[in-house]
Amino acid sequence: MSTLHAHSALKTKASIGLVEDEPVLREELSFQLQHKGFKVVAFADAAGLYRHLATQPLAVVVLDIGLPGEDGISIAKLLRSHNPLMGLVFLTARSLRDDRLEGLAAGADAYLVKPVDIEELALLLQRLLERHRHSTTALVAQQLPATAAKTDEQAWQLQPHRAVLIAPNGTKVRLTLTELQCLTELISKKGKPCNHTELARAMGLMPDEWDRHRLEVIVSRLRAKVERGTGLTAPIGTMRGVGYVWDASL
């Protein structure tokens, strides 16, 4: 068995949704992905996708943009706003730079142009499924000891399944997937330093996709967002030359 097929022979119940209005392409993509071990549920439009999601979750959704009725951009924005953990991939014939930027701005994790290389799509979906499993099973809601907080009201609380950080004063901050992954990794260390590589890996970044400056920007924006939303300083300390640490005594 090749490396790709070994990695793609998934033993997960997590499903991939495929929204494609062209019947032949929809059936062909579904067949090829199922042949590689993925569990695929296909839809012709947004209505079919939403009916499915009303009763069953999806780990990843692959979207065309030019769909009848509601287009893929609108669907992606809605899905991302309701589920920051879901993987979103655009698979479209629109290849212009502005189209790609619009798709990524709508919350997509990736933007692929038809005709797609099925091997590339399979590797991408495998990576998104691994991220989903990590986010929904390995991550559990964690509450720091009350003595570690700067107030007696309550401790900082992270609720991964809601993608929410609750401050000691009771205010809440909604988190993006990247922010959630970053905080989960920091808090899971229980006050111990988290180096740059560990943090990048937790956020699903490949070695060629990140550098220290990018991590600094992510952490800086996260700190600012928490302060704006709660009025409190996020207890994320910088360990020079090492990385960062979550220390509620800061």
Side-chain angles (χ1 to χ4, degrees):
M1 181 180 291
S2 69
T3 300
L4 174 60
H5 287 286
H7 283 293
S8 298
L10 305 179
K11 296 179 180 180
T12 175
K13 295 181 180 180
S15 297
I16 294 170
L18 171 64
V19 189
E20 168 59 59
D21 63 319
E22 206 287 305
V24 175
L25 180 57
R26 183 171 65 247
E27 292 177 10
E28 178 65 18
L29 283 173
S30 296
F31 173 79
Q32 291 192 52
L33 290 175
Q34 288 170 356
H35 181 68
K36 290 185 177 296
F38 295 98
K39 181 179 179 182
V40 181
V41 187
F43 313 97
D45 54 24
L49 171 66
Y50 294 155
R51 283 194 296 270
H52 181 89
L53 287 172
T55 58
Q56 300 178 62
L58 291 170
V60 182
V61 173
V62 180
L63 288 165
D64 190 5
I65 291 181
L67 296 168
E70 186 175 0
D71 68 20
I73 296 293
S74 176
I75 295 172
K77 290 179 178 178
L78 180 64
L79 295 180
R80 179 58 73 226
S81 68
H82 282 80
N83 187 352
L85 300 179
M86 179 182 286
L88 293 177
V89 178
F90 276 120
L91 180 54
T92 175
R94 302 184 184 183
S95 60
L96 295 179
R97 176 177 178 273
D98 287 348
D99 292 325
R100 172 180 164 79
L101 293 177
E102 183 181 20
L104 295 175
D109 294 290
Y111 189 102
L112 303 179
V113 177
K114 300 174 183 176
V116 68
D117 182 328
I118 195 65
E119 301 293 317
E120 179 183 1
L121 178 59
L123 285 171
L124 174 61
L125 293 178
Q126 171 65 19
R127 177 177 163 190
L128 291 174
L129 285 175
E130 289 172 351
R131 186 185 76 182
H132 181 268
R133 285 198 296 270
H134 174 74
S135 299
T136 57
T137 61
L139 307 183
V140 294
Q142 300 179 51
Q143 181 172 346
L144 299 181
T147 54
K150 295 179 69 175
T151 173
D152 292 329
E153 295 178 28
Q154 68 180 85
W156 290 89
Q157 297 177 64
L158 182 63
Q159 298 184 345
H161 290 85
R162 295 177 58 199
V164 167
L165 177 68
I166 304 176
N169 60 12
T171 56
K172 301 177 181 179
V173 178
R174 296 265 321 166
L175 303 169
T176 65
L177 176 60
T178 297
E179 292 165 348
L180 175 60
Q181 292 169 325
C182 177
L183 280 178
T184 300
E185 183 68 14
L186 288 171
I187 293 175
S188 70
K189 296 296 183 181
K190 298 181 179 179
K192 297 180 181 179
C194 178
N195 66 47
H196 298 96
T197 301
E198 291 171 329
L199 203 55
R201 186 182 301 118
M203 290 187 286
L205 300 177
M206 300 297 284
D208 60 346
E209 293 179 334
W210 72 274
D211 55 34
R212 186 168 300 184
H213 175 69
R214 180 175 180 182
L215 293 181
E216 290 172 351
V217 170
I218 291 173
V219 173
S220 177
R221 289 178 177 173
L222 176 57
R223 284 169 169 157
K225 180 176 183 177
V226 171
E227 186 167 356
R228 285 196 309 270
T230 69
L232 300 176
T233 300
I236 302 174
T238 300
M239 307 289 289
R240 292 192 178 279
V242 178
Y244 299 93
V245 61
W246 178 272
D247 184 354
S249 67
L250 294 174

